[in-house]
Amino acid sequence: MPWYLIQYLDEEGRKRRVEVEGVDDVEAIKNSRIDENQILKTSKSITIGSRDLPLGIQELILSQVRALVYSGQTVNSGIEHMLSRIGTLKKKKKEIQFLLASNAVVSEILQAMGVSKASVALVRAGESSGQLKEALDSALQHAQAEKAIKEQVSSPFTQGLVIILLALGMVMGLPNMIGPALGTLIDAGLDLDTNIFTDILLFIFHYNSQIWWGLLGLVVFVAIFRKLIWLVAQDLPGFRLMKDFFILKRSVLLLMVFKPLFASGISLNKSLEIVKGSMNSASDIKAINNVVLMMESGASLSIAIHNHNDWSPMFYNSFASFEQATFEAQMQLIESVTVALLGELKNISAKIALTAGILGKVLGFFALMMMIIGYYFPSLTAST
């Protein structure tokens, strides 16, 4: 759902701003709990990157809120204490204090803090079923698991990306360093025994800025038409790993949020609706929505998820007899499949990192060949 920036006057007549999620501006105003007479302006809010706090901070917040609820302390005073101690919350202090004064529920406060949609969805479900303590347990476990996944998965990705960027910098940077010297030799009238690497080096040197603009244009083009490009490219050899990665990640996230909801006795359809509300990606929301629609038409969960384009085969094959199993067996199945999918997700991410690393090394090797074969060898053969 989109976010809206609401500008309003507080009780003391000072201008305030708050960002609220909603289907439209009307729902956003309703969710903000602000008197419509105090609102000055409402507009769509655009943020680059995630609105969520770092997972380590989310874990800290959830653990402290959980401790407050378990100890029977006043949540409001505890959150006020957090606002003064956790630096990342200071810029949201006024917004959170407004919610505290409005007697907002815990899930609304956590959402305003920047806790992930999945954790907020779990807490909201617990509030509606009268199981807030259990819901906070589940939300904390989810944040910890998501943090572990990110550490396992993002590290190989980051390593591969760094190698590619460094290699690209070499390919584009070395010609700028060598090109002038090579040009001096040519301008001096020396006869050089050039080769294809020399031609490439000189081409990159002479058209360096145009190439950078071309790369930027390519990035913009891909960003605009990414959905169409993905439809065409997703089954190509190099991109198939990425498709498998996204499918595995979606399957893991579904099970991680679904497990505590199902354990608390919430119906399958209601649990999946909550899971859908916890997702950020449009493709993830669409995949879960397809499952919900099929189940509303009478299909079982095991049949509704049997789609290799949306879900991992390991996921839907393991759930083939889910409805026939006892509750204890169902919970064990969810746990074991989640662990298996996490292992496969880690393997896929390692393969992607390996592929990126190989690509980066190839680019780096190419840069060295330009320097050695394209410049050094011709300079040795220079003659009048």
Side-chain angles (χ1 to χ4, degrees):
M1 284 194 294
W3 287 75
Y4 289 85
L5 179 65
I6 300 175
Q7 299 180 37
Y8 67 100
L9 295 174
D10 65 12
E11 299 300 331
E12 298 176 3
R14 291 176 295 187
K15 287 186 178 181
R16 299 293 185 192
R17 297 166 37 154
V18 63
E19 288 185 311
V20 184
E21 193 177 16
V23 175
D24 51 30
D25 56 348
V26 175
E27 183 177 305
I29 292 172
K30 180 181 177 182
N31 293 338
S32 72
R33 295 169 176 261
I34 301 172
D35 187 338
E36 291 187 18
N37 295 321
Q38 295 176 256
I39 294 175
L40 302 174
K41 184 180 178 182
T42 303
S43 58
K44 271 194 175 182
S45 176
I46 300 175
T47 300
I48 299 174
S50 175
R51 295 175 179 272
D52 295 346
L53 291 171
L55 288 169
I57 302 297
Q58 291 188 45
E59 183 182 354
L60 174 64
I61 290 172
L62 287 168
S63 63
Q64 291 191 19
V65 172
R66 174 179 174 271
L68 290 170
V69 172
Y70 265 87
S71 63
Q73 299 180 49
T74 305
V75 175
N76 286 25
S77 60
I79 290 176
E80 284 279 6
H81 183 62
M82 277 191 277
L83 292 176
S84 62
R85 297 191 60 184
I86 301 177
T88 51
L89 294 180
K90 288 182 179 179
K91 62 181 181 180
K92 302 179 180 180
K93 186 174 181 179
K94 294 296 182 182
E95 177 184 348
I96 296 168
Q97 286 177 331
F98 176 81
L99 289 173
L100 292 173
S102 304
N103 296 318
V105 293
V106 174
S107 60
E108 292 176 323
I109 296 169
L110 292 176
Q111 183 177 25
M113 285 179 168
V115 174
S116 71
K117 292 178 72 174
S119 294
V120 170
L122 289 170
V123 175
R124 187 176 291 120
E127 289 169 339
S128 62
S129 61
Q131 297 178 316
L132 179 58
K133 292 181 180 179
E134 294 81 357
L136 286 167
D137 289 340
S138 299
L140 180 58
Q141 291 168 11
H142 177 270
Q144 292 169 339
E146 194 172 0
K147 181 182 175 183
I149 292 174
K150 189 172 183 179
E151 289 172 351
Q152 292 177 1
V153 172
S154 64
S155 179
F157 270 98
T158 304
Q159 181 182 355
L161 181 61
V162 168
I163 292 174
I164 289 178
L165 290 177
L166 286 174
L168 182 61
M170 289 177 64
V171 170
M172 297 299 295
L174 282 176
N176 283 337
M177 299 169 61
I178 301 170
L182 194 59
T184 300
L185 294 176
I186 295 173
D187 294 340
L190 298 178
D191 186 19
L192 303 179
D193 187 10
T194 60
N195 51 68
I196 188 171
F197 285 101
T198 309
D199 296 336
I200 295 173
L201 188 153
L202 289 172
F203 177 83
I204 294 175
F205 170 62
H206 289 301
Y207 298 98
N208 197 275
S209 60
Q210 291 90 332
I211 293 173
W212 278 117
W213 280 111
L215 290 173
L216 178 61
L218 179 62
V219 170
V220 172
F221 177 81
V222 171
I224 295 174
F225 298 101
R226 61 187 181 277
K227 292 182 180 179
L228 181 61
I229 294 171
W230 181 247
L231 287 174
V232 177
Q234 61 181 327
D235 291 318
L236 297 177
F239 292 92
R240 180 66 203 186
L241 277 176
M242 292 298 298
K243 181 180 179 180
D244 290 343
F245 172 81
F246 290 128
I247 289 174
L248 277 167
K249 187 178 179 183
R250 179 187 303 138
S251 302
V252 169
L253 289 175
L254 183 146
L255 287 176
M256 286 174 60
V257 182
F258 175 74
K259 181 185 175 183
L261 296 172
F262 184 69
S264 64
I266 298 174
S267 67
L268 281 174
N269 285 41
K270 179 62 176 176
S271 295
L272 289 172
E273 284 289 349
I274 294 172
V275 172
K276 185 175 72 172
S278 72
M279 295 294 183
N280 292 309
S281 166
S283 58
D284 290 346
I285 294 172
K286 182 180 177 182
I288 296 175
N289 194 51
N290 289 338
V291 174
V292 172
L293 291 175
M294 287 188 67
M295 292 185 66
E296 288 176 350
S297 300
S300 62
L301 175 63
S302 55
I303 293 176
I305 62 173
H306 201 281
N307 183 339
H308 70 276
N309 288 318
D310 289 339
W311 308 104
S312 166
M314 185 188 300
F315 174 32
Y316 59 71
N317 287 334
S318 300
F319 272 65
S321 57
F322 181 77
E323 287 78 16
Q324 287 72 45
T326 62
F327 177 75
E328 290 75 14
Q330 288 173 331
M331 293 301 298
Q332 290 175 3
L333 177 63
I334 294 171
E335 178 68 28
S336 62
V337 174
T338 303
V339 172
L341 288 173
L342 282 171
E344 186 62 23
L345 184 65
K346 188 176 180 180
N347 289 336
I348 289 288
S349 65
K351 289 179 182 179
I352 294 173
L354 177 62
T355 302
I358 291 173
L359 177 59
K361 290 172 183 176
V362 168
L363 287 172
F365 180 75
F366 177 74
L368 291 175
M369 288 301 97
M370 280 198 305
M371 182 174 66
I372 297 171
I373 300 177
Y375 168 71
Y376 186 65
F377 285 175
S379 66
L380 292 177
T381 65
S383 60
T384 58

